[in-house]
Amino acid sequence: MDDRGQLKWFLGIDFQHQPDGSYCMSQERYVNAILSKFNMTDCNPAATPTDTNTRLLTASAEKQENNQDTQFPYCQAAGCFIYLMTGTRPDISWTVSKLSQFLEKPNTTYVQATKRLLHYLKGTKHYILKYSAKPKDELTMFTDSDWTSDIEDRRLASGYLTTLGTAPISWNTCKQATVVLSSCEVEYLGLTDAVKETLYLRNILGALGKTLNGKTPVYCDNQGTIALASNTSSQQSHETY
């Protein structure tokens, strides 16, 4: 091993060491490379990663055959988005998860949604993650779920984001395998994944010698789910395992 000084570049991610001891992570160079790869360098920026009025559905065989955008390297674009999302961009997590569900037969709408995301990246390529030198040992989890967005198989999408201090350290968006019958069930499944991730991160931080300040708050916006989780926790606290 040899000491090469301050970390500046690692696997497509720029690291900048600030005078106050904090570190900034950025993938601006990687975004520029993506835009150049798909001939979108001079595109106009977009304010959001996806258009809320666009409904992404599976194309029929006839429409797929007549698709004029079949030559667009959709799978390559999705792969680039996944790496970017995993590294420093939790803001595109839901969009990338949605686009990744149709890698085999992307229709024209999905190609347009991919280009829309490239427009968004053009305007937000300067986004960074900043981690302070001495973050407060406060682990916080946020979770949410979407019950009605997929009208084809009715399987929900859920996601979570975890922060340590003020910066995100873990995030995920996925499509659940279970079809549920109420918004409470939707949020409860999402909350389950979030709590599992919270316990995992607490164990890691404990192994690293971090002393967390009490319990980890998990934020959920469904009152039925909160009541159900609180009631379950209260019942279990009176049992011995």
Side-chain angles (χ1 to χ4, degrees), residues 6 16-24 130-135:
Q6 293 287 348
Q16 294 181 354
H17 187 230
Q18 304 298 321
D20 60 357
S22 63
Y23 261 101
C24 295
K130 184 176 182 180
Y131 299 93
S132 61
K134 296 181 179 180

Side-chain angles (χ1 to χ4, degrees), residues 85-116:
M85 178 269 297
T86 303
T88 62
R89 299 297 299 268
D91 56 321
I92 65 172
S93 180
W94 184 89
T95 305
V96 173
S97 174
K98 192 69 176 180
L99 294 176
S100 300
Q101 296 172 21
F102 293 86
L103 296 178
E104 183 179 358
K105 294 181 179 180
N107 58 37
T108 304
T109 304
Y110 276 84
V111 173
Q112 293 174 349
T114 299
K115 294 180 179 180
R116 168 59 182 254

Side-chain angles (χ1 to χ4, degrees), residues 136-139 202 211-217:
K136 296 181 180 179
D137 295 331
E138 296 177 356
L139 194 66
R202 285 182 64 91
T211 303
L212 298 176
N213 298 329
K215 298 180 180 180
T216 299

Side-chain angles (χ1 to χ4, degrees), residues 100-231:
S100 300
Q101 296 172 21
F102 293 86
L103 296 178
E104 183 179 358
K105 294 181 179 180
N107 58 37
T108 304
T109 304
Y110 276 84
V111 173
Q112 293 174 349
T114 299
K115 294 180 179 180
R116 168 59 182 254
L117 183 54
L118 289 169
H119 282 267
Y120 173 74
L121 294 177
K122 173 65 181 294
T124 60
K125 60 184 180 181
H126 61 282
Y127 280 11
I128 63 172
L129 295 180
K130 184 176 182 180
Y131 299 93
S132 61
K134 296 181 179 180
K136 296 181 180 179
D137 295 331
E138 296 177 356
L139 194 66
T140 306
M141 173 69 74
F142 302 88
T143 178
D144 200 4
S145 299
D146 184 7
W147 184 26
T148 60
S149 64
D150 197 322
I151 64 174
E152 292 188 309
D153 58 13
R154 301 297 179 179
R155 287 161 56 190
L156 65 101
S158 63
Y160 59 77
L161 183 141
T162 315
T163 61
L164 182 62
T166 58
I169 61 172
S170 175
W171 54 86
N172 182 56
T173 303
C174 65
K175 190 175 185 178
Q176 296 285 355
T178 305
V179 177
V180 298
L181 302 178
S182 70
S183 60
C184 180
E185 291 181 73
V186 171
E187 298 285 353
Y188 198 79
L189 286 175
L191 181 63
T192 301
D193 289 339
V195 170
K196 289 190 292 185
E197 179 70 8
T198 301
L199 294 174
Y200 170 71
L201 292 173
R202 285 182 64 91
N203 289 334
I204 288 182
L205 293 173
L208 294 175
K210 293 285 186 179
T211 303
L212 298 176
N213 298 329
K215 298 180 180 180
T216 299
V218 179
Y219 290 93
C220 173
D221 62 357
N222 185 279
Q223 294 300 318
T225 300
I226 295 173
L228 179 61
S230 301
N231 184 50

Side-chain angles (χ1 to χ4, degrees), residues 3 8 50 59 74 92 96 106 151-152 191 198 220 232-234 240:
D3 186 357
K8 296 181 179 180
T50 187
Y74 183 87
I92 65 172
V96 173
I151 64 174
E152 292 188 309
L191 181 63
T198 301
C220 173
T232 302
S233 177
S234 176
T240 303

